[in-house]
Every structure is written in C-alpha cells, then in structure tokens.
C-alpha cells in the first residue's frame, strides 16, 4: 500500500535539532482550516518552502495529530498562497513579504513565469523601482544557477538552506565535489555535521565499510574527542568509538587507520593517535617553551629591583608572595602567575608591568577573548588585544605573526590563560621570539579551555616553569560572600548560604525543575532589577547544561517570551531572533571579526532583505538568514561559554538533573563570573554533590611529559574511559554547546 502524501507550505519551524535535522513544523495544507504539525528529519528547510512529503499520520499523546514524514522533496509552489510564501521567504533578494504580496496580487499563478521569462513586467507592480528589479534579476539568475545544484542535492535529502551553503562554498563545482566525496561537506561547511554527510553518502550508495566512510568517521571521532578536550585518542578508545559510530567492521576501521598513518593523515606515537594539527601544536608548544627557558639572557634586572620604590610609584603595598611574583617576572624568561578571586592577580600584574616599564621594556598585553582583553585594558590603562588580533590573524593568510615575522617587544603578559587551547597556544608561541619575556596569568581552578588540551595546568604540573600561586585573600575581598564562597567551594567546603540583606551571595531552595525555570524568569524580569536598580541586560543566567528544563535552550525561550515577546523576527533552528534580543556568536568568524562566545544585541531585523544586524560592543555586524545558525539566544548560556566573561549579576540553577555536569570547577567558574550579585537556585544536595565531585574527565594530553620527559607517561591506557559518541536526542550527551573542530590552516 502506498504511503499517504502531503503537499504543504512551511509556515513556521517550532523545533529543530541542528545535529540530526529532526524538526517539528507548522504547515499549511489545502483543505485543512488549521495548521498541520509535520515532524521528521527535514534538515534545515526554511519557512516558505513547498514540500511534497510521504509518510503517515499518527496521534501523539501530548501533541495530538501529526504527519510523520519519511521522505520529502521541495517543489515549486503551485498556488497563489504558496508562490507568495516562497517569494517572501528571502530566497530572492529584493523580495520580502510585502513585495511578494504585491507581485502575486499582480500576476497570480503566472508570477514565477513572469520573473523567469519577462522580468521587465515587474515595473507594472506599484512601488517597484529600477534598483529593486535589478536586484531581483541578479538574485533570480543566481537562483537558476543554484537550482541544478538544489535539485541534485534534494535527491539526497539536503534542504534549500544547506544547498545554498554548499553552493556558496563550491560554486558550479558543487555537484562534482559532492559526488566525488560527500564526507568533505562535514569538513568544509559549518553547520553540516558528519551525520548529515553520512546520510547523503548512504543515499549515494556508500557501503558501511567503504574506506572513505571509515576515514571520515575516524576524523569525525577525533574531532569529537577534541571537542571534549582530548588532544589525542588512545588506539583502542578510537577503534571502539569509530565502530560504535559507524557500525562498521573492526578490520575496516583498522585498515583505514593504517592507511591514514601511511599517508600521514594521522600521527601515531606509541598508543596515541593524533590529528596532525594537534600533534604539531603540542610538540611545537613544548619545544618553544623549552627554547625560551634555555635562552641565557634571563636574570638581567633582578639586582636592580627595589620593592619600596615600586610601591611608591604605584601607590600599592605588595605582600611577600606578590613581591616574589614581580621578582620572578624580572628573573625568568617564562613564568606563571595563578590564583583565585580576591588574591590580587590584577594588582600583581600591574606591579609586574610597572617594574618592567621602569626598566624601559616595551610590554604587550593579550587575552584569549574580546571581553577578557577589554577587562585587562580597563585594569591596566594599557591596550590589551585578543590573541588573534595580536597575531594579526585573517582568514585568508592565517596568522601574520609567526616564526618569520615575530612579535616586537620585550615582554608579553597574557591573561586568562586557562582558556587557551593547544592550537592557539602553539600559534602564540610561534610568534614569541626567544628574546621576549612571557608572563602567563590565569586561575588554574577554573574550567579548562573549550578547545583541546589543558595547557595552563600541564605547564604548571610539568615543574619546568616557575609558578607563583597567590592564596592570600585581601581584606576588601573577604567582605564579599561571592569571593569567600568561591574559595570555600574550591577547598571542598560547603559555602555559607544563610542569605541576608547585606550579602552578595544567595541560595534559593527549590527542587522542581519547572519551578526553578519559573523563578529564574521572575528573578531576571522583576525581582533583581527592582532590588538592585539594574537593567535586565546586566543579569546573566548561567547553567551547567544546554538541554533539559533548566538548560540554556529552554531558559532562553522562556526568558525571550518574558522580556522580548513580540516584534518582527527571523527564524532559524527553532529560535526566533527579534530586535533587542541578547545573542551569542557560536563560532570564530574571522570575516565578520566576531568570535565564539562574543555577546551582542540584535539592533535591527530586515524582513525584506532577510538580514539582521547585531551590535557587538558598539560594532554592527550583519547576518544573512542562512548564517543565523552562527548565533544563539544568550539570555541564558552554559557556564562553559561564560569563561573569560564577567557580569554584574549572575543567576545559576544547581539541580540533580544536571548531575552529569555537576563538578567543582564548573560551579566555581560560574560563581566567579559574578561581579556584584550571585544567586544560586536549586538544592543543597546538588550543590554538595558538585563540591565533592572532582572527577573532571581526564584529558588526553602529553604537553606535561614533553616539557619534562622525566615525568613519563603518567596515565595508562586502562584509566582512560572509552568514548562513546552520544545520541543527539540524549539530554546528557549535549552537556556543553558543541565547538567546531580544528581549522585546516593550523597545520
């Protein structure tokens, strides 16, 4: 019996999982008064698309009647309504919803034919001028070029939005490139993951044990491991993970591994298997740090250091450990300064700068993120750059500052070093000449970097590089319950949760996740702005996870509904973006000069052009509708994403539903993001569990051993848990937001 068919126009997207394409849509169907719910793997179909779906009707207990789509194709609209929706969807530049309505009113069912064969007739439409017709003509021609590509790709279940991205990447070669190797899509195009590429390959007839498939699956697995922080995979760990992902034979996986080792697509060292960029980054970082240490110039100025003079100059009295740190910076070519909040890291850094300046040294300042660099500038009164800007990065040429063109200056001080991953550290070290001093500052107890490696901890644990650890909490900081709670948690003690009028640290007892979500909305919208005379933009919700009732995705929906419920919007991946929304960039985009974790506000939405402008610290950046997967709402964000940032007020849920992520360094990082007020909401049990939980996943790295071979390989392969790639529908698997793999330019 043939499957029921449904022809429909997509009205809006209510949910979309970007990883596997599972979507829930509201669609208009002829003969139905109400909108119909359509579910299935519809990848990234934009609103306005006309679909011909095959599938079946089912009744869901919670959501009622739905059409479950098995296969689908995108078709040209055949009704006036469909044509209007299609033209107004933003596929054709120059035609937004308003002009789509006017054009269709004029030409009805002949609209597509008119645009295709006699575009001059558009002048008959009231209000359309020459510029707009030219824009439409240009866009329509481009669409025709894309059409073949679209039709080809749609045969393999690829949506319009992805097809447009593929076309943008490969142009007229798109069909040949995809035919040649569909797996390259996962490497080359942001937003297309391995699973999407694998789905296309499966429809193209690729077998499970195909060598190209196995190789791509191995690279994907290693990139997933890198997203978890691992620089390499232990061989058995990798083979098991690849078998689980690909459902391929072990022999095929091992054959692909041997082949990739031979062609040097992988670097294998003992039992450790690396993607080449990570291997060269780890070896390069270690070699350059050791070369700095070996440089004999070292202790030129220590004898000329006068603590009393420095205090007089800066107006600061330094304690013994701070003076040791300043002396160490003068004595050593490389050093680390670490300590928690309130221990005087900033004051000590200022002392180091003053001492180096006094000796006539030219000093450079840098930090991994824009926000951290801005804070460093404010604290020191000197220009601090992001590491990318310091190294003069651009997408075409990569890092302009490198071995051939090193940084110019006598000393470099880098803040928030716990955030630096191994790839970035290597690129930084390439540009540091051996004549330069390097001071690394950071809080070692915070979360490690989002990218692969555990650079700062490995450098400290190697015992090769001088380290000053600040532990004394200064008197003014002792009055802050935020600071004292952070230190208590760090030492494994339960913080003071007695609340009270004059405190800056609160704990609200609430067990039910739905109630916690409601209370968070109430705190952000009403209670906190009223109590502290702050605007809602000063309040940041931080949560351990992305998924679940009190995960970032759900809280964002609820907060947007409460704070910014109406207005024109663009839809992407189930999110609506409106003017005034707080958003976060999810990947480094060097063309736009915005980076993973940057926060901004939607300044304007243009429905005609299908674009929106985001204000990042007074700089406007424009996004096309197809680029909106680079943004997410940021009323709430994961604690991982908040590294290197500070907010006046932080609200943080702590519940046992997050148990998979409840770790001491996570809670510590979240609390230390709050400058003025921190509110935890949840259960004492969950907070206590997090404080006790020190089982931070061991990251596979060998930087420590490369810096100090005497330490040997301290971890036997048996201690590394086998890595199983999570099911995208499993809440616990999506603990932190995904990060992209390595940049190809980093080899």
């Amino acid at each position: 019996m043939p499957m029921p068919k449904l022809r429909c126009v997509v009205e809006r997207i209510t949910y979309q999982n970007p990883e596997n394409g599972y979507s829930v849509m509201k669609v208009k169907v002829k003969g139905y008064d109400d909108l119909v719910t359509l579910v299935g793997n519809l990848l990234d179909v934009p609103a306005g698309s006309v679909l011909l779906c095959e599938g079946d009707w089912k009744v869901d207990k919670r959501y009622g009647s739905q059409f479950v789509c098995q296969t689908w194709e995108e078709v040209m609209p055949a009704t006036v309504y469909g044509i209007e929706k299609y033209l107004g969807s933003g596929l054709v530049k120059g035609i937004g919803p308003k002009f789509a309505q006017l054009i269709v009113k004029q030409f009805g069912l002949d609209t597509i034919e008119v645009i295709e064969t006699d575009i001059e007739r558009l002048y008959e439409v009231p209000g359309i001028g020459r510029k707009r017709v030219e824009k439409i003509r240009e866009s329509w021609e481009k669409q025709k070029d894309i059409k073949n590509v679209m039709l080809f790709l749609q045969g393999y279940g690829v949506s319009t939005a992805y097809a447009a991205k593929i076309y943008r990447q490969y142009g007229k070669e798109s069909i040949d490139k995809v035919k040649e190797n569909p797996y390259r899509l996962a490497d080359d195009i942001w937003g297309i993951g391995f699973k999407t590429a694998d789905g296309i390959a499966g429809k193209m007839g690729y077998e499970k044990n195909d060598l190209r498939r196995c190789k791509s699956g191995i690279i994907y697995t290693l990139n997933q491991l890198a997203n978890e922080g691992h620089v390499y995979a232990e061989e058995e760990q990798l083979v098991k993970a690849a078998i689980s992902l690909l459902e391929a034979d072990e022999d095929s996986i091992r054959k692909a591994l041997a082949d990739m080792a031979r062609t040097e697509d992988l670097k294998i060292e003992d039992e450790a298997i690396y993607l080449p960029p990570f291997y060269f980054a780890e070896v390069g970082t270690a070699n350059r740090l050791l070369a700095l240490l070996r440089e004999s110039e070292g202790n030129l100025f220590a004898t000329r250091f006068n603590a009393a003079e420095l205090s007089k100059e800066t107006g600061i009295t330094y304690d013994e450990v701070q003076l040791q740190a300043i002396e160490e910076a003068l004595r050593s070519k490389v050093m680390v300064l670490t300590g928690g909040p309130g221990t005087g890291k900033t004051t000590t850094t200022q002392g180091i700068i003053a001492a180096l300046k006094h000796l006539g040294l030219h000093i450079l300042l840098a930090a991994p993120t824009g926000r951290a660099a801005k804070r460093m500038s404010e604290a020191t009164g000197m220009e601090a750059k992001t590491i990318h800007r310091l190294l003069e990065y651009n997408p075409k040429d990569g890092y302009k500052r490198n071995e051939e063109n090193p940084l110019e200056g006598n000393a470099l001080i880098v803040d928030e070093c716990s955030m630096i991953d191994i790839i970035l550290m290597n690129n930084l070290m390439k540009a540091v000449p051996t004549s330069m001093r390097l001071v690394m500052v950071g809080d070692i107890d915070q979360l490690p970097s989002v990218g692969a490696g555990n650079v700062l901890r490995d450098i400290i644990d190697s015992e090769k590089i001088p380290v000053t650890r600040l532990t004394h909490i200064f008197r003014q900081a002792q009055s802050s319950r935020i600071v004292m709670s952070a230190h208590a948690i760090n030492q494994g003690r339960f913080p003071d949760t007695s609340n009270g009028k004059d405190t800056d640290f609160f704990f609200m007892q609430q067990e039910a996740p739905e109630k916690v979500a409601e209370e968070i909305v109430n705190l952000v919208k009403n209670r906190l702005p009223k109590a502290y005379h702050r605007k809602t933009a000063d309040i940041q919700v931080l949560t351990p996870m992305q998924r679940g009732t009190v995960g970032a995705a759900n809280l964002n929906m609820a907060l947007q509904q409460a704070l910014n419920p109406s207005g024109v919007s663009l839809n992407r991946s189930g999110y609506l973006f409106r003017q005034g929304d707080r958003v976060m960039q999810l990947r480094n985009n060097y063309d736009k000069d915005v980076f993973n974790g940057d926060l901004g506000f939607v300044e304007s939405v243009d429905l005609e052009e299908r674009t929106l402008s985001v204000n990042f610290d007074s700089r406007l950046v424009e996004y096309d509708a197809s680029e909106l997967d680079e943004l997410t709402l940021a009323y709430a964000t994961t604690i991982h994403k908040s590294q290197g940032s500070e907010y006046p007020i932080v609200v943080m849920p702590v519940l046992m539903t997050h148990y998979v992520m409840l770790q001491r360094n996570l809670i510590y990082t979240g609390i230390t993001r709050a400058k003025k007020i921190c509110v935890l909401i949840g259960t004492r049990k969950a907070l206590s569990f997090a404080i006790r939980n020190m089982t931070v996943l061991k990251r596979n790295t060998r930087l420590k051993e490369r810096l100090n071979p005497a330490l040997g390989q301290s971890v036997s392969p048996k201690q590394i848990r086998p890595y199983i790639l999570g099911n995208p529908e499993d809440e616990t698997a999506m603990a932190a937001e995904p990060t992209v793999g390595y940049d190809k330019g980093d080899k």
Side-chain angles (χ1 to χ4, degrees):
M1 202 175 109
M3 277 187 166
K5 287 191 177 180
L6 190 78
R7 187 186 176 101
C8 60
V9 179
V10 178
E11 275 289 318
R12 61 177 186 272
I13 298 151
T14 54
Y15 171 77
Q16 204 153 55
N17 182 326
E19 176 65 23
N20 63 3
Y22 179 79
S23 307
V24 180
M25 300 180 171
K26 293 289 185 188
V27 297
K28 183 106 172 142
V29 181
K30 198 175 176 182
Y32 288 78
D33 291 340
D34 295 329
L35 294 177
V36 170
T37 303
L38 178 72
V39 299
N41 280 36
L42 291 135
L43 286 162
D44 212 348
V45 173
S49 305
V50 184
L51 305 179
L52 188 60
C53 305
E54 272 194 352
D56 219 337
W57 290 96
K58 77 158 193 182
V59 178
D60 185 276
K61 271 189 244 173
R62 271 180 78 186
Y63 300 110
S65 176
Q66 300 178 333
F67 189 84
V68 182
C69 172
Q70 298 297 331
T71 63
W72 59 277
E73 60 178 308
E74 205 160 335
V75 291
M76 286 306 270
T79 64
V80 165
Y81 175 83
I83 295 169
E84 188 182 313
K85 203 75 187 155
Y86 175 78
L87 287 179
S89 70
L91 290 169
V92 184
K93 292 277 184 199
I95 307 181
K98 187 178 106 186
F99 278 104
Q101 197 178 13
L102 290 169
I103 293 169
V104 172
K105 192 177 172 187
Q106 186 77 23
F107 302 113
L109 289 171
D110 298 333
T111 298
I112 303 283
E113 181 75 10
V114 166
I115 297 173
E116 185 76 57
T117 59
D118 195 3
I119 200 163
E120 299 289 319
R121 285 192 66 195
L122 288 182
Y123 290 124
E124 295 170 23
V125 178
I128 286 192
R130 191 173 55 81
K131 271 189 179 168
R132 188 171 296 275
V133 171
E134 283 312 307
K135 204 172 201 178
I136 295 169
R137 187 197 307 268
E138 194 183 310
S139 180
W140 191 259
E141 287 303 314
K142 202 171 175 190
Q143 285 298 317
K144 276 186 354 197
D145 281 348
I146 289 179
K147 206 167 281 177
N148 287 338
V149 174
M150 295 248 183
L151 287 170
F152 166 77
L153 291 168
Q154 276 167 22
Y156 299 108
V158 180
S159 71
T160 314
Y162 279 144
K165 282 191 167 193
I166 294 166
Y167 184 82
R168 246 199 328 259
Q169 180 77 20
Y170 304 133
K172 290 182 178 171
E173 291 178 354
S174 298
I175 294 173
D176 293 341
K177 293 264 192 203
V178 175
K179 275 183 177 168
E180 186 192 315
N181 179 6
Y183 291 102
R184 68 186 302 161
L185 295 173
D187 292 338
D188 294 347
I189 294 162
W190 160 259
I192 295 186
F194 171 81
K195 288 178 181 164
T196 302
D198 196 39
I200 298 167
K203 287 179 179 154
M204 290 174 88
Y206 278 62
E207 300 292 328
K208 280 193 169 173
N209 292 314
D210 187 292
L211 198 60
R212 291 164 299 181
R213 181 173 184 263
C214 290
K215 286 180 179 179
S216 185
I218 288 166
I219 289 174
Y220 172 77
T221 305
L222 282 166
N223 266 319
Q224 288 295 98
L225 284 166
N227 288 347
E228 282 211 350
H230 301 291
V231 179
Y232 65 86
E234 186 264 330
E235 187 176 337
E236 291 311 307
Q237 176 192 27
L238 181 59
V239 169
K240 275 182 189 164
I243 292 170
S244 163
L245 170 77
L246 299 168
E247 297 172 356
D249 300 341
E250 186 171 334
D251 286 354
S252 303
I253 301 286
R254 292 197 182 276
K255 186 175 179 308
L257 275 174
D259 212 37
M260 291 167 87
R262 196 175 60 251
T263 55
E264 294 204 342
D265 288 318
L266 296 176
K267 297 291 284 186
I268 301 181
E269 187 183 76
D270 311 323
E271 284 287 289
I273 299 175
Y274 291 82
L275 286 167
F278 294 104
Y279 174 80
F280 291 121
E282 196 172 79
V283 170
T285 298
N287 288 345
R288 287 182 187 90
L289 279 168
L290 292 170
L292 264 186
L293 281 173
R294 280 195 301 271
E295 192 64 22
S296 57
E297 182 228 320
N299 188 12
L300 281 183
F301 310 119
T303 52
R304 289 156 55 188
F305 175 67
N306 184 321
E309 265 184 39
L310 182 69
S311 286
K312 197 175 167 186
E313 195 177 313
T314 58
I316 297 163
T317 306
Y318 303 97
D319 71 8
E320 199 179 329
V321 184
Q322 289 179 306
L323 286 173
Q324 280 174 18
I326 296 167
E327 284 179 24
E328 195 64 77
L330 297 176
R331 192 182 303 119
S332 308
K333 285 303 296 290
V334 193
M335 74 159 290
V336 172
L337 174 68
T338 185
T343 58
K345 276 202 309 292
T346 302
T347 312
T348 311
T349 305
Q350 288 167 331
I352 292 172
I353 292 170
L356 293 172
K357 268 190 174 171
H358 188 73
L359 298 160
L361 272 63
H362 175 55
I363 304 159
L364 303 174
L365 304 181
T369 66
R371 291 192 143 226
K374 195 175 173 188
R375 282 215 326 273
M376 199 180 187
S377 293
E378 286 163 1
T380 59
M382 292 168 62
E383 185 189 17
K385 294 179 177 175
T386 63
I387 296 173
H388 282 94
R389 288 212 179 95
L390 181 78
L391 301 179
E392 297 171 30
Y393 182 91
N394 71 58
K396 275 197 186 105
D397 315 313
Y399 297 94
K400 276 193 182 167
R401 295 283 178 180
N402 48 34
E403 306 97 319
E404 283 80 46
N405 181 27
L407 292 166
E408 290 157 29
N410 309 109
L412 169 63
I413 302 175
V414 188
D415 199 6
E416 295 282 3
C417 285
S418 61
M419 296 179 69
I420 300 178
D421 61 39
I422 194 69
I423 297 280
L424 186 57
M425 188 66 185
N426 183 44
N427 283 307
L428 178 64
M429 291 309 303
K430 280 181 192 174
V432 173
T434 50
S435 58
M436 190 175 265
R437 283 177 143 62
L438 176 63
V439 178
M440 291 175 275
V441 184
D443 183 350
I444 193 59
D445 298 313
Q446 280 190 38
L447 287 167
S449 57
V450 173
N454 207 345
V455 174
L456 188 62
R457 183 165 291 283
D458 281 351
I459 288 172
I460 292 173
D461 290 352
S462 74
E463 297 168 9
K464 271 289 195 189
I465 285 161
V467 177
T468 304
R469 184 158 191 158
L470 304 172
T471 53
H472 174 70
I473 304 167
F474 284 88
R475 192 176 295 147
Q476 68 262 36
Q478 288 178 15
S479 63
S480 164
R481 194 98 55 85
I482 293 173
V483 170
M484 299 315 284
S485 300
H487 283 280
I489 287 167
N490 205 24
Q491 290 155 16
R493 293 183 289 110
F494 197 87
D496 179 351
T497 56
S498 58
N499 297 338
K501 213 172 178 182
D502 299 323
T503 182
D504 58 357
F505 181 81
F506 298 88
F507 187 89
M508 296 173 68
Q509 184 73 23
Q510 183 56 261
E511 199 162 348
E514 289 78 13
K515 291 278 188 209
V516 171
E518 274 173 38
E519 190 54 57
I520 287 172
V521 171
N522 185 25
L523 282 164
V524 175
K525 188 180 178 183
N526 304 313
R527 291 181 65 180
L528 290 167
K530 202 171 165 184
Y532 297 103
H533 308 292
R534 291 271 185 175
K535 47 187 193 291
T536 55
D538 288 341
I539 306 167
Q540 183 63 53
V541 178
L542 299 180
T543 174
M545 290 181 75
Q546 182 64 9
R547 293 272 184 103
T549 309
V550 284
N554 190 54
L555 287 174
N556 269 319
M557 299 277 205
L559 286 160
Q560 184 190 44
Q561 191 53 41
L563 301 171
N564 194 20
S566 60
V568 292
S569 61
L570 287 177
N571 185 318
R572 181 70 178 198
S573 303
Y575 282 128
L576 292 171
F577 294 100
R578 294 193 184 101
Q579 187 176 348
D581 277 336
R582 184 190 335 217
V583 291
M584 180 183 275
Q585 176 73 11
L586 288 178
R587 64 178 285 237
N588 290 344
N589 185 327
Y590 301 102
D591 293 320
K592 293 187 189 296
D593 203 23
V594 283
F595 300 92
N596 188 356
D598 282 358
L599 277 177
F601 289 87
V602 177
E603 185 105 342
S604 60
V605 176
D606 186 334
L607 285 182
E608 293 293 319
E609 296 293 324
R610 299 274 298 166
T611 59
L612 58 80
S613 284
V614 179
N615 186 332
F616 291 102
D617 280 330
S618 305
R619 202 170 57 81
L620 283 185
V621 178
E622 190 169 278
Y623 291 80
D624 185 77
S626 66
E627 298 172 314
L628 293 183
D629 55 353
E630 295 190 16
L631 292 173
T632 186
L633 292 177
Y635 297 100
T637 180
T638 60
I639 297 167
H640 279 88
K641 285 279 188 196
S642 72
Q643 283 173 269
S645 297
E646 280 185 348
Y647 314 96
I649 301 177
V650 164
V651 178
M652 191 160 76
V654 186
L655 288 171
M656 285 310 289
T657 50
H658 289 154
Y659 78 93
V660 71
M661 291 300 291
L662 289 181
Q663 292 152 359
R664 185 185 294 179
N665 62 351
L666 189 92
I667 299 296
Y668 173 82
T669 302
I671 290 171
T672 54
R673 301 307 88 208
K675 277 199 296 198
K676 301 283 184 205
I677 302 290
C678 181
V679 182
L680 301 191
I681 175 166
T683 64
R684 285 182 168 78
K685 181 187 173 185
L687 184 55
S688 180
F689 178 88
I691 294 167
R692 289 196 310 273
N693 185 8
M694 296 281 288
T695 58
V696 180
L697 176 69
K698 165 112 185 92
R699 293 187 164 197
N700 297 350
T701 95
R702 288 188 171 178
L703 179 62
K704 178 175 77 175
E705 291 79 15
R706 293 188 195 281
L707 287 167
N708 189 355
L711 295 170
Q713 187 57 23
S714 58
V715 180
S716 70
K718 286 175 191 155
Q719 283 175 271
I720 300 166
R721 74 166 174 87
Y723 178 78
I724 307 297
L725 296 176
N727 174 356
E729 293 304 306
D730 174 14
E731 293 208 349
T732 61
M734 302 289 287
E737 285 155 65
T739 53
V740 284
Y742 67 85
D743 287 330
K744 309 297 180 296
D746 286 330
K747 287 188 182 180

